[in-house]
Amino acid sequence: MPIGNRILQRQRRIDDALIQAFAALPVAVVSDSMSRVFAGGADLRPMHREGSLAGVALTVRTRPGDNLMLHKAIDMAEPGDVIVCDAGGDTTNALMGELMLAYAVKKGVAGFVLNGALRDLDGFRDTNLPTFAAGVTHRGPYKNGPGEINTPINIGGMVIEPGDLILGDNDGLLCVPFEAAPAVLEAAQAKQAAEEKQMAAIHAGDNDRSWVDNALKAAGCTFE
């Protein structure tokens, strides 16, 4: 099977219960629980009206401006899938528009991540399927290939493998690796609980800020 022009079957899929648990958490909290070194790139912004993204990665790699493999990925998608397409970040041609969006909704796709552009922006906002993209253009795509489906891809330095967990909100995108998901969830839930406790203390007026001066002193800062 030639590298760069192949379609594989996904061998694993993040558990639905884990998806639902992660969906209740802010992406920033999960990111902090992964040492703050993973991100899908600040250029990928939400194109839908509101709401967050959580689902199973179905990965696509395509050359810039071509959506043949993206069409096939929608055909292959299972309910709850997030189709993550790496088109090199090029925004010259749109990878999809409202017709493909309508078909994806009918298939039960949970959302899209497009390292490239889309068009028919009003349709994406009206439909409100969670969709992140690098840009918008009216120029349509080509349908010649090549590309790959269900192989590892890299967006903004973040590796995404088929079956991984994809999360997104207004702060950006994050991939939680399949094997690490249970441990990350435990850490993220603990951090969320700690932040809720801190927020309550702020509102009550008794938030402990001694750590600021302690950190400055540890960094060698002098106080005049």
Side-chain angles (χ1 to χ4, degrees), residues 14-224:
I14 199 84
D15 184 75
D16 287 343
L18 283 172
I19 295 171
Q20 294 304 314
F22 272 103
L25 298 169
V27 170
V29 168
V30 182
S31 178
D32 284 353
S33 302
M34 295 173 63
S35 301
R36 303 184 175 114
V37 296
F38 298 92
D43 291 339
L44 296 176
R45 300 307 304 155
M47 299 294 171
H48 54 292
R49 188 175 64 256
E50 60 185 0
S52 59
L53 172 66
V56 186
L58 194 168
T59 62
V60 182
R61 185 196 316 276
T62 186
R63 69 181 180 88
D66 191 287
N67 74 354
L68 180 59
M69 285 292 180
L70 185 55
H71 272 282
K72 180 59 178 176
I74 300 175
D75 286 343
M76 294 172 60
E78 300 175 19
D81 281 352
V82 176
I83 298 178
V84 187
C85 181
D86 180 17
D90 183 84
T91 56
T92 304
N93 296 82
L95 295 173
M96 64 178 292
E98 61 183 356
L99 294 177
M100 293 174 70
L101 175 63
Y103 177 45
V105 170
K106 189 72 172 178
K107 290 276 293 184
V109 170
F112 285 92
V113 176
L114 305 173
N115 192 19
L118 55 74
R119 67 177 180 179
D120 303 325
L121 179 59
D122 288 344
F124 281 86
R125 288 176 174 164
D126 291 342
T127 303
N128 202 38
L129 183 75
T131 300
F132 292 75
V136 179
T137 180
H138 57 79
R139 295 175 60 173
Y142 300 98
K143 296 173 171 61
N144 307 111
E148 296 185 335
I149 296 176
N150 283 327
T151 61
I153 60 175
N154 183 316
I155 297 180
M158 183 174 69
V159 175
I160 302 162
E161 298 193 36
D164 284 349
L165 174 65
I166 300 296
L167 301 174
D169 61 19
N170 285 335
D171 285 335
L173 289 156
L174 181 65
C175 174
V176 181
F178 180 90
E179 297 88 350
V184 172
L185 177 63
E186 182 178 357
Q189 288 175 329
K191 180 169 180 58
Q192 178 70 3
E195 290 197 359
E196 290 172 354
K197 182 178 179 180
Q198 184 178 359
M199 184 65 77
I202 291 171
H203 289 308
D206 57 3
N207 187 35
D208 182 6
R209 300 289 296 170
S210 60
W211 70 269
V212 178
D213 285 348
N214 291 337
L216 289 169
K217 291 174 182 176
C221 180
T222 61
F223 295 76
E224 299 295 334

